[in-house]
Amino acid sequence: QVQLVESGGGLVQAGGSLRLSCAASGRTLFSFNMGWFRQAPGKEREFVAAISRSGRSTNYADSVKGRFTISRDTGKNTVYLQMNSLKPEDTAIYYCAADLSVTISQRLGSYDYWGQGTQVTVSS
């Protein structure tokens, strides 16, 4: 079992930046590939970014490529999502998730553990 807690969300103006954190307890995150997803009001949860156990492989949704960066700190047992050049359409609840699969995935169903989410609101 692993417990995931997201933080770092908030209200920011368009063009601004936020860094989300996902802290884990109960098990080392090195056991997992990690992902970030988001869900806007009235929409389905969607993939944002993923990172492999080693940190050497990453994957991004086209909508955030070049603006968002996922990273991990094994010593702190934490995964980050640096979000730059934010747009109003980035407004959503952001969730981190842990995946025991061999390769990183964009599929929600591949992830075994989820955090409770953190709200990101981007004003125009």
Side-chain angles (χ1 to χ4, degrees), residues 24-93:
S25 60
R27 192 168 171 180
T28 173
L29 283 185
F30 191 72
S31 302
F32 303 92
N33 297 316
M34 298 297 296
W36 284 96
F37 292 79
R38 67 186 181 187
Q39 188 166 17
K43 294 188 176 182
E44 294 186 350
R45 194 171 299 188
E46 64 176 6
F47 171 77
V48 175
I51 188 167
S52 63
R53 288 173 178 80
S54 66
R56 286 193 288 267
S57 295
T58 57
N59 195 356
Y60 296 92
D62 289 342
S63 58
V64 307
K65 205 170 291 184
R67 300 187 298 122
F68 291 11
T69 303
I70 188 171
S71 62
R72 63 194 301 161
D73 186 329
T74 302
K76 294 183 178 180
N77 219 29
T78 300
V79 175
Y80 303 98
L81 185 68
Q82 177 67 44
M83 306 186 295
N84 299 328
S85 301
L86 283 161
K87 305 175 181 180
E89 51 263 44
D90 294 317
T91 295
I93 299 174

Side-chain angles (χ1 to χ4, degrees), residues 103-119:
T103 58
I104 58 176
S105 174
Q106 296 188 3
R107 295 190 308 109
L108 272 73
S110 181
Y111 287 78
D112 303 281
Y113 301 99
W114 293 82
Q116 83 291 345
T118 185
Q119 176 71 49

